[in-house]
Amino acid sequence: MKKAFITGITGQDGSYLAELLLNKGYKVYGLTRRTSTQNFARIAHIVHNENLELVSGDLIDQHSLTFALKQIQPDEIYNLAAQSFVQASWEQPVLTGEFTALGVVRVLDAMRLASPNSRFYQASSSEMFGKVQAVPQTEMTPFYPRSPYGVAKVYGHWITVNYRESYNLFAVSGILFNHESPRRGLEFVTRKIANAVARIKLGKQQFVELGNLDAKRDWGFAGDYVEAMWLMLQQDTPEDYVIATGQTHSVREFLERSCEVAGISDWEAIYRHNPKYDRPAEVDLLVGDPSKAKEKLGWEPKVSFEELVRTMVEAELEKESE
């Protein structure tokens, strides 16, 4: 039985990845931080699976990572844990650096010392491209991050390359563009819109407050994207890949489409601009070129933008109706 170790297992991606690996017959170990209240909502349906084991540890505690990897000796390590909300990275830039940047090197160093034959996946981000230097963005496009989060992700990306080349580790980065689902955190714009539109439809609130409606993103479904993570670790050689749909849509389009799904005819009547949601440095356009992933991994997204929005809004309507 293959063994996988996942940091960030209680997050959106971690929960979908754990599901995928359990279905493939893996024994899955998930790293969780000790807190006074545990949030296992996203993995509640699998938390009692006999092949899932939660391990106590923290990306800030090097010893806990080294000890866990020494004990488990996983075939695959997926580093998905991070302070992952871009807006919060301006308010907590040092914390973001600790988790999202230095956390990566702690996991890599734990692997180097305790489990060097494992295969390592690093969750890189399209936010590394920031003020884009080319459209669409490929594996060769230079990075120009525009937030503390983006900067931290660039460190995590390059330290993964560095450890691969310096210590001959099987270590890869997936440069994932925005990927969403009903399990997305409420602070993220897609889930925020889906939830607000559902609540407005049900008479629970009047307006949705948003920042820049013109920002464009390449949005895919998280369930599709975790499959790409797994495929990267099944290859003969470690390489980095852009994972994206190749299509871009504005925040306005996401709002319009959400209103259509919910049966709200006039999106402008429920929208309010709130400057507090505007970024200090905006990322205007992100759109990835997933050609390499399609050619080498045989991967392509299955869920369209329209299906994604519909799934998210319908999930919120159901949740808010309970």
Side-chain angles (χ1 to χ4, degrees):
M1 182 182 278
K2 272 186 145 184
K3 293 180 286 187
F5 179 78
I6 303 173
T7 74
I9 193 168
T10 58
Q12 170 188 256
D13 292 7
S15 67
Y16 280 110
L17 178 63
E19 261 174 36
L20 177 82
L21 296 176
L22 289 168
N23 288 337
K24 289 184 180 294
Y26 279 65
K27 170 81 174 180
V28 176
Y29 296 84
L31 188 76
T32 60
R33 279 190 291 162
R34 282 207 188 280
T35 55
S36 55
T37 55
Q38 292 284 11
N39 181 12
F40 293 152
R42 293 185 183 96
I43 56 169
H45 59 300
I46 55 171
V47 79
H48 298 300
N49 188 305
E50 62 181 13
N51 288 324
L52 175 65
E53 187 174 321
L54 298 179
V55 179
S56 182
D58 199 306
L59 286 194
I60 288 180
D61 182 2
Q62 178 78 55
H63 175 75
S64 69
L65 299 170
T66 308
F67 181 76
L69 293 184
K70 188 177 181 182
Q71 294 291 108
I72 296 164
Q73 293 296 305
D75 297 280
E76 297 167 7
I77 299 166
Y78 296 88
N79 184 42
L80 310 184
Q83 189 301 99
S84 61
F85 186 40
V86 176
Q87 190 77 33
S89 74
W90 275 286
E91 295 151 17
Q92 297 180 299
V94 177
L95 179 80
T96 300
E98 277 289 352
F99 280 106
T100 309
L102 295 178
V104 184
V105 76
R106 291 190 190 104
V107 181
L108 280 166
D109 218 45
M111 172 181 160
R112 177 180 72 84
L113 295 168
S115 185
N117 294 320
S118 300
R119 294 186 165 205
F120 175 87
Y121 171 85
Q122 164 58 13
S124 284
S125 167
S126 58
E127 287 287 332
M128 301 188 306
F129 294 121
K131 190 174 180 179
V132 298
Q133 304 299 291
V135 179
Q137 293 89 55
T138 71
E139 292 80 7
M140 304 308 293
T141 304
F143 301 138
Y144 195 141
R146 297 267 281 173
S147 66
Y149 170 78
V151 173
K153 279 292 186 184
V154 170
Y155 178 93
H157 181 88
W158 280 117
I159 202 68
T160 301
V161 173
N162 189 258
Y163 267 61
R164 175 170 74 215
E165 294 177 352
S166 302
Y167 300 114
N168 198 29
L169 300 177
F170 193 109
V172 305
S173 283
I175 306 173
L176 270 57
F177 280 66
N178 295 63
H179 46 290
E180 318 297 318
S181 76
R183 298 181 197 172
R184 201 45 147 155
L186 268 169
E187 67 271 25
F188 290 87
V189 71
T190 50
R191 173 86 192 284
K192 181 182 179 179
I193 290 171
N195 177 259
V197 164
R199 288 175 60 81
I200 290 163
K201 177 66 176 177
L202 296 168
K204 291 185 172 184
Q205 72 183 64
Q206 273 188 295
F207 306 109
V208 56
E209 294 189 350
L210 299 167
N212 178 18
L213 291 187
D214 296 319
K216 291 185 173 180
R217 294 291 182 271
D218 185 328
W219 276 304
F221 172 55
D224 288 345
Y225 284 41
V226 298
E227 187 185 359
M229 298 177 187
W230 177 77
L231 285 167
M232 284 179 223
L233 295 193
Q234 313 314 308
Q235 304 308 302
D236 293 332
T237 53
E239 295 181 53
D240 305 325
Y241 294 86
V242 161
I243 305 299
T245 69
Q247 298 177 357
T248 190
H249 299 274
S250 67
V251 175
R252 181 182 283 101
E253 283 179 78
F254 201 102
L255 176 58
E256 287 175 5
R257 179 72 61 173
S258 296
C259 287
E260 282 173 28
V261 173
I264 296 171
S265 56
D266 184 7
W267 69 267
E268 289 179 277
I270 65 160
Y271 161 70
R272 293 288 181 274
H273 177 254
N274 189 332
K276 87 171 184 181
Y277 297 121
D278 292 335
R279 293 184 181 186
E282 184 56 84
V283 174
D284 298 311
L285 169 66
L286 291 174
V287 56
D289 177 358
S291 308
K292 181 181 174 183
K294 186 175 181 179
E295 181 193 332
K296 292 198 169 187
L297 304 178
W299 179 88
E300 48 190 324
K302 300 181 184 80
V303 178
S304 69
F305 175 74
E306 290 74 21
E307 288 174 288
L308 175 67
V309 177
R310 188 179 72 248
T311 302
M312 290 184 71
V313 174
E314 286 177 352
E316 294 303 319
L317 283 165
E318 191 179 325
K319 216 173 288 179
E320 291 292 340
S321 298
E322 290 171 359

